[in-house]
Amino acid sequence: MVLLFSGSIFAQDRLRSIPDPDPEYQLSTLYPAEGFEVNLYASEPMVEKPIQMNWDEKGRLWVVGSSEYPQPKPGAEPTGKIFVLEDRDGDGRADTSILFADGLRVPTAVLPGDGGVYVANSTEILHLKDTDGDGKADESRVVLSGFGTGDTHHLIHTFRWGPGGSFYFNQSIYIYSHVETPHGVRRLEGGGVWRYRTATQELDVYVRGLVNPWGLQFNKYGQSFLTDGAGTEGINYGFQGATFMTAPGARRILQGLNPGQPKHSGLDIITSRHMPQDWRGTLVTNDFRANRINRFTLEKLGSGYTSRQEPDLLYSNNVAFRPVDILEGPDGAIYVADWYNPIIQHGEVDFRDPRRDQKHGRIWRITRKNSPLVEVPHLPGASNRELLDFLSLPEAWTRDQARRLLKERGRVEVKEDLDAWIAGLSPENSDYDRLILEGFWVYQSLDIANQEVLEKLLNSSDPFIRAAAIRGLYFQYNLYPEANDYLSRGLRDEDAVVRLESVIALRKSKDPGSASLATIVLEQEMDTYLDFALWQTIRELESKWYPRFQENQNYFQGNKRKAFALKSITSPAAVTALVDMYRVGQFPEEYESDLFDNVSRYGAPSALSDLFRLMIEDQDKRVGLLKTLIRTMEQRGVKPDIDLSPIVTLFNDPEKEIAQLAVTAAGLWGMESYRHQFIEWARSKDNDISETGITALANLGDSESLNALLEFSDQPYSDERRVKTIIKLIPLDAKMATSQATTLLASPGDEENISQLLSAFFANQNGLWELVQTLENTDVSDQSAKIGMKLINSMSARRRESEEIKSLMAVFGKVPIEEEKATMPQQLSAWDADRLELDVKAYGDPFKGEIFYRKLGCAACHAIGGAGGKLGTDLSSLGANAPTDYIISSILDPGREIKDGYELNQIIKKNGNVVMGYFVRETDSEVVLRDVAGQEVAVPKFQISSHDNVPGSLMPPGLTSGLTREEFVDLIGFLSKIGEPGDFRVPAYSYVRYWEALRADDSVVERIDKDGEQIVVEEQESFSWVPIYSKVSGGLPLEEIPGEMKALKFAVEVAASGQVMFAFDPQWVEHLWVDDERYIPGENGLDINLDVGIREIIVFLKSDAEKGDFKVEVQEGNQRNGRAHPLHTPVY
Amino acid sequence: MLFQWGVSLNRWCGNRMKYTILSVGILVVQLMVQGQLEAQPSVHHVTNMEPAGSGRIVFVGNSLVEEAGKYGILEWMLQNAWPEKPLTFRNLGWSGDTVEGRARSYISQPPNPYELLLQQIDTLKPDLVIVGYGNIEAYEGREGLEKFDIQLQKLIADIDSLGAQVILISTLPQYPSLDLEIDLTERNQLLELYAHKIREVAGRLQVPFIDIFPAFRANARTLYEANGIHLNAKGYYKMGLTLLEALDVPAPKWHTEIDVREGKIVGASGLYIENQEMTRSHVRFHMTSKIFPVFGEGENLNPQQLVVRGLKKGTYALLVNGQHILAASAADFASGVIIRQGPTFDMARIVQNMYSEIHDLYFWEYRPLNRTYLVGFRKYEQGQNSYELGLQSLFIERIEHKINQIYSMEPQIFEIVRINR
């Protein structure tokens, strides 16, 4: 009771910064782009917490929402609602709002169609109808059920009609759905897009993956794009089978088009004549975290796109403005559903926190000044012919509604008119092909094949139209008996986008020759999407082509095609076939790393034997093959099944690397007869050689080898070697390792050594247990105790609560330790926390805070604007998104506040080793985690004893204990501002954000004086480069770079060759090198022609550039035809 | 085989008989079992079934089981089969589920799907678990049979170790949907094969098995939803009848015949008539009955027919507890009138709705929204609110208490009054 009381006071106290919910006030906080204005279309009580909206053919806006979101109260009657808004007098404000349905369970999507509306009702899709015309639903039918419920903001959502009449909808990462349909059970575990045909009740998964894909839209060619409310890759280009991050079990994924971009909800494509001409075809989407609306321009590149962020359509400094859905309206204006809530999180803020807004909600309307609105065509009651004519209009609303109405009228009523309309179109019309495509989609909606129309499209001069025709073939494959002939042509099309669709459509083919046909695309230029799609097609068709291939080794005509196919599948026999090709020199070199990868994952012993022989014979291939054989043994415990003794000839190879690899392999293969040689190695003075020997002995792992290892874990060997040996011993014999460790731990030694040793014990269950048993009865040096405590203090609170760690704390705690007192208290009482939060608001200086952020090295793990470590969450819109109390508590107690996608996993291997990390992916054979160093670690499943999700975070507590309270307040001041408009919002410009600065000490300056500056370019590796990130604003503070001479390296990735500009602000660049060429910049920067690929740039700054922020912007677009973006991570 | 769910040797009829004999006993009419369905002998016919323990029945399975919860029909029919024993029901069905708990998958483990299935059963401390699997597994074809066999055995053993009895239900045929061109020949062969497999496993482990497959094999269009995979209310009523038949419970048929000339009232088994007063133009009696209407889509699926022969010419009203139910001519009464309303109808409608309300409330407890944050691997974020899920059960228990109150109905007074000559 007391707790409850103090808690509520605490919460009330924080309500002071909640904005005024008055819509007029809110309007004053919305800032549309120049030339645009915004007005209120509707607000509560005409709508309630809008989550999704869709238009109907009458121009009415259907809006769904729920005051119960995110968590209904127990036993409460559901209160989710659907409102129908209508602007009857055309003044841009809704004047009627009809409550169409009530009592829905946290509904998250609504879509008019088939005489009613489809509604996402948590675990099911309902079709609601008003049969008596009173404006209220009186009939309800369950269309599909069995969708997951595990997370309210991930429930099925984003209902959309596709151009061919299919019903698309999305779900997100924590939703695991198992839907029974007449065609079988359909499962989607995790994020993705579903596709449903209402007439045939067919349900399939269209796209897999993404964290929280709230946003799906089709362009005028029927291509689809997605946004992600929790991912960081901006616009995602989706197509049948496209697979993105987080898709469970995915071997391979595609990237989004804007890595490092904010997270988005909702998506629409501008089509209306009301909008500026050059905005048409651009994408608008909501960065709901940072209270703004982004716009992106797409540009075709190969079979896909590049995407560029444009200036915002609208931003707000009102934290409660939460644009979650966005649609172009019938009048050409842009409508934005504003969920209106200062709090958006599910996990981080208590479900019952009073700051969660449960009642407000707005629909805003953005118009262009001095531009006429679109005259809204009258669709209801229009004849078929009229509806078909509407398909020539540019606005998507008109075309989508007209197509849907035609579909609903049905085949019998529409076909004749459609045939006549198509026949009547004039080929002279500049829009002829596109109109034919619109007609084709109507046929598709009605499940009618029309070969003539299809062929017209396939002969279009516009590659997007040809691609759309092929996509239609995919969806209606069975209706076109000659499909494969068309696809065979499409695969040879001059345009990659057509080839992409053709490769995908072949998955429908039952012809055993299809896989071979698909590989024809390899004869022209490939790109990421094509490579992915072909790989997927080959895999999906495996059961059809593989038996054929076994009969006829020439099934794939040509080595490249054959190698691609074989490397795409996972059977050991395919690996054997690849190895056969490799042996006889028929294997394409470009696929070599894929071959090695497949061998280590799936290769049979016989294939490994072949590679072993080749390794012995062929000196050039030796290193790669040895590494592959070693990896295979490590990952799967599989080795060649022939006499391996020839390996011994390599022990004395003049190349040290080969000799080391050979010894390592022999150890892994358990070749005990060489034990004496390994012992000799272990005794070597050369530390590398010695370590190889010790590792080999440990890999042998038999009792004699263990005894041998005892030698190296004791004097007279150096502490370093002893520690390395003991670390190897822990998983083999924890007891023995512990007894060897006691003397080291009892005496003072090198801090790094002790730290490594203790960490190794902590990372192994058995080791930890033994250590606890032993240390309770033996002495520990003060230094060891201190290091031990330090390691324990950096563990998560939950780990520290384990019995073993508690015992160790008791042991280490016996030693009097001079505690470093935290200057910033790391545990706060409720009152302290509240006080702190107020101080942040009152005094937090974000400019100073950013400096502390940089000093503490936060960027090593966290990215802002895509630049920074990948281990932690991207903080680009943290401040706009998260309440201050949440930010404070997630720094002081990182394990308490976890973001989607940062689920800590613990794997305990059979040998007791523990791997902790964030989950990346899981396949049949391995689990991949991202470890504390930010590296992906693949753990073979056969080595796993247990794999659990564990509470907690990899972020160690206590990071800020060295700050003063004032500094901490500034730091939080900074973090709570990131993403808000102003200096702490990542700008849309393409700034360089990751740099490497030359460490220019005296010797370096001397060397440059002597050899000239080009030595830095030519012998980059011989210099020391320090990674450094830009500030949020994009500027690099030069004062953080030591030394008088300033040289900076960065890299850009050029996606399309051509002209780009490096703009310098200020122009501090003396000269610069692009790859190996030297350039003198002009007044604003350097205009330069770049070729596709990664280009490295080194800039030398003028000597007077010492202090202040330096920015480099990579400019493209307009008259510049090159396409490039800066890389935010190291090139290598 | 003899299957006892509990220890009592007396069936409800026996108890009831004692009660009626000891009661005032002016005229006690005990009837022979009527209209017992002609059933093909089921291998493991269950006899002498008697609810015991706390009376908690749990359903587990795929959508066949899950969808049943919407209607409250199975619960209502089972409760009426053992009216003396207050039963409670929980539905753990899950669309797409298998004996391995396939549909109970989630992004994080533990628990793995099967562990979750067992945890969910265990939490409910059931006395009896009715298990309906196989429809999803049948997609695996013949090759999947062995795996199904092994895993079904494991599930039975695991439920047994939780101290609950198991009844297995067969697969359900898929019905060809009106508008769809799907060839279901093979699908239904496989479903039947899996039904046989369940029977076989049941036989091996001496577990009761109820074969619903034959009841839906033919002429079943009206029993399915449009998709041909889910049953509608009539379908679940049919399933309920099949269950009761296999459990050796008389078909719940409400039928009463009165011959006023001979002063005789003849009712179906389960109808108890006493305090009768009778002339050729007026009839009055007390009726106690646990044969209730069963509603599906607003319609009573278990019609109540009343035949009164020998009334004088004229129009008569039927009153129940003084409430006007219907009016009909003496001739109509002689050929039988169908009763469509009355206190038992109101009660049945309310109770069935309550069962489906319980199902809905429990759905959000065992498949909660925000599972991730309340009880899943991010529970340290919202775990403080997970107690709210338990509150669902308070609401459920309150409803169950209400059901019990409503269910103990007083005898009804039937009266046939001449209103017109």
Side-chain angles (χ1 to χ4, degrees), chain B residues 108-377:
Chain B
S108 65
Q109 295 185 1
N112 70 31
Y114 185 70
E115 287 164 356
L116 181 62
L117 170 62
L118 291 184
Q119 274 179 21
Q120 290 180 328
I121 297 172
D122 190 30
T123 304
L124 290 168
K125 304 278 171 262
D127 298 298
L128 175 69
V129 181
I130 299 179
V131 177
Y133 280 116
N135 270 54
I136 305 300
E137 291 87 334
Y139 287 113
E140 299 295 317
R142 281 160 215 279
E143 304 83 67
L145 270 175
E146 197 187 328
K147 196 176 104 187
F148 177 62
D149 185 322
I150 295 167
Q151 194 62 33
L152 180 60
Q153 282 194 59
K154 178 167 166 43
L155 178 63
I156 294 166
D158 287 339
I159 296 175
D160 184 67
S161 73
L162 300 178
Q165 301 267 11
V166 172
I167 292 181
L168 297 179
I169 295 179
S170 74
T171 56
L172 176 79
Q174 181 171 346
Y175 202 81
S177 178
L178 260 185
D179 327 316
L180 304 182
E181 292 166 18
I182 313 177
D183 183 359
L184 292 175
T185 321
E186 201 198 343
R187 167 82 179 137
N188 280 326
Q189 279 167 0
L190 287 172
L191 284 169
E192 192 163 15
L193 198 62
Y194 275 72
H196 288 318
K197 176 53 81 178
I198 300 170
R199 175 194 302 261
E200 183 197 317
V201 172
R204 215 184 306 136
L205 301 185
Q206 295 290 293
V207 170
F209 166 72
I210 299 175
D211 193 357
I212 61 168
F213 201 93
F216 294 92
R217 199 198 304 264
N219 303 321
R221 173 168 298 290
T222 55
L223 305 179
Y224 284 83
E225 299 269 347
N227 59 22
I229 50 172
H230 295 150
L231 294 178
N232 61 17
K234 286 193 177 118
Y236 281 108
Y237 180 63
K238 175 94 172 178
M239 180 169 160
L241 291 176
T242 315
L243 250 64
L244 293 184
E245 173 205 339
L247 296 173
D248 212 12
V249 175
K253 196 169 174 186
W254 196 104
H255 181 83
T256 306
E257 283 188 41
I258 302 173
D259 193 322
V260 289
R261 281 199 201 92
E262 297 181 20
K264 245 169 72 179
I265 302 182
V266 185
S269 163
L271 303 179
Y272 299 92
I273 296 163
E274 23 187 32
N275 297 340
Q276 112 194 50
E277 300 160 14
M278 212 179 289
T279 68
R280 283 195 62 200
S281 57
H282 185 259
V283 181
R284 184 186 157 95
F285 56 89
H286 287 193
M287 157 99 68
T288 314
S289 160
K290 293 293 179 187
I291 299 174
F292 288 111
V294 179
F295 283 95
E297 316 283 333
E299 178 192 343
N300 177 19
L301 303 171
N302 186 18
Q304 299 193 350
Q305 193 189 36
L306 173 66
V307 181
V308 187
R309 277 188 284 270
L311 287 170
K312 284 185 185 164
K313 217 174 156 207
T315 308
Y316 291 81
L318 169 67
L319 307 177
V320 178
N321 291 356
Q323 180 189 337
H324 177 85
I325 303 298
L326 59 84
S329 66
D332 290 338
F333 271 103
S335 57
V337 293
I338 301 293
I339 302 175
R340 297 182 199 279
Q341 50 176 303
T344 59
F345 286 73
D346 298 340
M347 193 268 266
R349 201 180 285 111
I350 290 167
V351 173
Q352 264 185 259
N353 282 341
M354 285 176 164
Y355 280 126
S356 66
E357 207 180 320
I358 289 170
H359 171 63
D360 189 52
L361 283 166
Y362 197 68
F363 184 96
W364 298 113
E365 187 173 334
Y366 85 99
R367 280 155 84 170
L369 286 165
N370 288 317
R371 164 182 173 180
T372 313
Y373 310 95
L374 292 169
V375 291
F377 64 107

Side-chain angles (χ1 to χ4, degrees), chain A residues 612-630:
Chain A
F612 180 82
R613 282 192 211 98
L614 196 63
M615 184 272 296
I616 295 291
E617 286 160 17
D618 191 337
Q619 204 170 341
D620 293 342
K621 294 185 169 140
R622 200 163 281 157
V623 172
L625 289 173
L626 265 174
K627 283 184 177 168
T628 305
L629 291 169
I630 288 171

Side-chain angles (χ1 to χ4, degrees), chain B residues 13 33 41 107 121 145 149 248 267 364 379 390-391 407:
Chain B
C13 272
V33 175
I107 188 166
I121 297 172
L145 270 175
D149 185 322
D248 212 12
W364 298 113
K379 67 175 171 220
L391 299 185
Y407 195 57

Side-chain angles (χ1 to χ4, degrees), chain A residues 70-78 105-106 121-124 141-143 145-147 149-155 173-185 187 189 199-201 345-352 356 798 895-904 919 947-952, chain B residues 61-64 66-67 70 94-98 101-110 113 135-137 139-140 174-175 177-182 184 187 225-230 357 360-361 363-364 366-374 377-382 384-385 387-392 395:
Chain A
Q71 182 67 24
K73 296 217 169 104
E77 291 283 314
R105 176 64 79 185
V106 194
N121 192 45
S122 299
T123 187
E124 62 197 4
R141 173 171 67 88
V142 178
V143 179
S145 60
F147 299 102
T149 57
D151 187 333
T152 310
H153 72 302
H154 291 167
L155 294 170
I173 181 169
Y174 296 157
I175 296 300
Y176 276 48
S177 295
H178 305 270
V179 185
E180 294 182 23
T181 81
H183 306 273
V185 61
R187 304 186 194 274
E189 297 171 302
T200 60
Q201 300 185 40
Q345 294 88 350
H346 267 186
E348 302 87 331
V349 177
D350 195 291
F351 284 155
R352 304 298 173 220
R356 286 185 183 273
R798 278 167 194 84
R896 237 185 74 194
E897 322 280 4
I898 303 297
K899 285 306 300 164
D900 300 6
Y902 292 86
E903 294 80 27
L904 195 55
F919 183 78
H947 173 200
D948 293 332
N949 294 80
V950 290
Chain B
N62 52 43
S63 71
L64 170 68
E66 182 188 334
E67 297 283 315
K70 282 190 205 167
W94 203 310
S95 169
D97 204 30
T98 67
R102 178 70 184 82
R104 288 160 218 259
S105 63
Y106 197 52
I107 188 166
S108 65
Q109 295 185 1
N135 270 54
I136 305 300
E137 291 87 334
Y139 287 113
E140 299 295 317
Q174 181 171 346
Y175 202 81
S177 178
L178 260 185
D179 327 316
L180 304 182
E181 292 166 18
I182 313 177
L184 292 175
R187 167 82 179 137
E225 299 269 347
N227 59 22
I229 50 172
H230 295 150
E357 207 180 320
D360 189 52
L361 283 166
F363 184 96
W364 298 113
Y366 85 99
R367 280 155 84 170
L369 286 165
N370 288 317
R371 164 182 173 180
T372 313
Y373 310 95
L374 292 169
F377 64 107
R378 286 170 70 172
K379 67 175 171 220
Y380 42 89
E381 294 181 31
Q382 297 289 342
Q384 70 274 18
N385 290 315
Y387 74 94
E388 289 187 355
L389 297 177
L391 299 185
Q392 298 281 96
F395 287 88

